Amino acid sequence: MNRLTRIFVFTAACLVTAAADAAVGEMHRSTTTPTAALRDASGSPRVAITVWYPATDGAIEKPLLIGPPNRPLFDSGQAAPDAPVANGRHPVVLLSHGFGGTARVMAWFGTRLADAGFIVIAVDHPGSNGLTPITRTGATWWWERAEDLKAAWTAIRQDDVIGPHLDTSRLGVAGFSAGGFAALVAAGARVDVDHFVTFCKGHPDDGVCAPQLEAPALSARDADTAMADPKVRAGLADASADHAVPGVRAAFAMAPALVQALDPASLPRMKVPVSIVVGDADTVAPAATNASVAAQAIPGAREEVLPLVTHYDFLATCQPAARQVVPQCAQANRQGAAHDAAIRQALRVFKGMTPQGVGKGTPVPPVR
């Protein structure tokens, strides 16, 4: 072996070792919002935050399983609990889960972005997550999801451990299902509740209007009844306000739902790059009345429609036990293809974020 060959082999070995040692970390924080207590079943003002991030070399990752340890329901990747954050500043993605979901169910997405160098900040939306009872306000005040993301972003920027590692000039937002809706709102779309009510009156069998597996009693077909509830009506005045997160430079939506709850006039005015991925077998949030509506109206938006992929293929990987007891998993048969396409598109749009540029968002305000 000559000297040049030895140098090449040594360099390659070092690169492999470094790749093997690289890890993803996970930390938990919390914040509050003005409406969290009104949405949470117990009246708690708390919004739980999960952060995935590039960790220092050698951190020990552990499986992120959901369900009983001896009979897990979902595999959502792996991460090292409370590992030190890798040196430097890293671009950021805010992440919103689907209706009745959790941050942990979306960890498959968050950890893979963290492995690619991003800090991912996810929340458990009060009254709309799988850890606590779903409430009517949590299920209908969709715009508050963007406010949850905004509050989490502020809290993590102020965090002594994670804050110094944030590249605040490169901020993206992502979400699945109702979280995809939240991502669009956080990126500048405006909410029109009346538009959604009218849509469901005319299309009661559309997937977003029909009863959902997560809370069948809260069907959008009965939107008039829900909106007549004094607790629900209390928040309607704020629905059409600007809920955009300042500084967002790109948005990515997986199988976005509730697109009919967006003001159609606001979509052509969106200025950040938007990428959308959806399955052509999605009956929960059909592409024709959701993803494709947004993609066709938002300037320059990119939409990828995946063959035979369903809505629930974007959940964490269903395990054998889940296929027996979780009805959503009965519809999830192409999760690998859905996950890979989502990561590919997300990295494409988020790696294109730059501190300056046309249509790249507004400056991030200072933390006070």
Side-chain angles (χ1 to χ4, degrees):
M1 185 181 293
N2 60 40
R3 183 173 181 272
L4 182 60
T5 302
R6 287 198 300 271
I7 292 173
F8 175 79
V9 171
F10 175 76
T11 302
C14 289
L15 291 174
V16 170
T17 301
D21 288 342
V24 169
E26 179 184 79
M27 291 184 185
H28 296 277
R29 300 290 190 267
S30 68
T31 188
T32 61
T33 74
T35 70
L38 300 175
R39 290 176 285 150
D40 181 75
S42 66
S44 170
R46 181 176 179 269
V47 177
I49 304 171
T50 302
V51 184
W52 298 288
Y53 53 89
T56 54
D57 292 350
I60 306 301
E61 297 179 334
K62 296 182 179 180
L64 301 179
L65 301 175
I66 301 171
N70 61 340
R71 200 168 183 262
L73 301 176
F74 297 94
D75 181 348
S76 210
Q78 56 186 24
D82 297 311
V85 185
N87 289 334
R89 293 181 179 270
H90 311 282
V92 184
V93 174
L94 309 177
L95 177 60
S96 175
H97 62 73
F99 179 60
T102 61
R104 177 53 57 84
V105 167
M106 297 306 299
W108 67 266
F109 181 82
T111 55
R112 287 180 68 175
L113 259 62
D115 190 52
F118 292 82
I119 291 178
V120 180
I121 302 170
V123 302
D124 289 319
H125 296 290
S128 183
N129 66 67
L131 300 174
T132 59
I134 293 176
T135 64
R136 178 164 282 180
T137 47
T140 54
W141 288 0
W142 322 292
W143 52 92
E144 292 295 339
R145 285 171 161 261
E147 295 296 329
D148 293 339
L149 295 178
K150 189 184 299 183
W153 175 223
T154 298
I156 298 305
R157 285 162 57 207
Q158 295 172 333
D159 189 90
D160 292 339
V161 176
I162 309 172
H165 296 282
L166 303 172
D167 182 348
T168 59
S169 69
R170 291 188 290 166
L171 174 66
V173 62
F176 161 62
S177 191
F181 162 89
L184 296 176
V185 174
R190 303 290 278 262
V191 175
D192 185 339
V193 174
D194 289 338
H195 189 271
F196 182 68
V197 172
T198 300
F199 174 80
C200 284
K201 282 182 178 178
H203 306 82
D205 294 326
D206 187 89
V208 295
C209 303
Q212 305 296 307
L213 288 174
E214 295 79 8
L218 296 176
S219 169
R221 290 172 178 168
D222 306 318
D224 281 347
T225 302
M227 298 306 170
D229 184 324
K231 290 183 179 179
V232 174
R233 290 194 62 81
L236 292 184
D238 192 48
S240 61
D242 182 3
H243 299 286
V245 176
V248 165
R249 301 184 185 280
F252 177 65
M254 293 168 272
L258 298 168
V259 170
Q260 296 295 334
L262 297 175
D263 178 357
S266 72
L267 299 179
R269 296 197 296 264
M270 293 182 67
K271 298 184 182 302
V272 303
V274 173
S275 184
I276 300 171
V277 64
V278 64
D280 69 1
D282 191 333
T283 59
V284 176
T289 52
N290 290 277
S292 297
V293 171
Q296 291 166 16
I298 299 171
R302 177 188 177 95
E303 180 186 27
E304 182 175 3
V305 182
L306 306 176
L308 304 178
V309 166
T310 70
H311 195 72
Y312 296 116
D313 279 311
F314 293 98
L315 296 178
T317 304
C318 296
Q319 300 302 288
R323 298 195 179 279
Q324 301 175 21
V325 298
V326 180
Q328 289 87 342
C329 286
Q331 302 178 35
N333 297 311
R334 288 175 171 78
Q335 292 190 281
H339 290 188
D340 289 345
I343 295 299
R344 182 176 64 251
Q345 288 293 350
L347 291 178
R348 178 182 177 276
V349 69
F350 292 138
K351 284 189 173 181
M353 295 188 298
T354 59
Q356 294 85 26
V358 176
K360 296 299 182 182
T362 55
V364 178
V367 177
R368 293 183 173 86

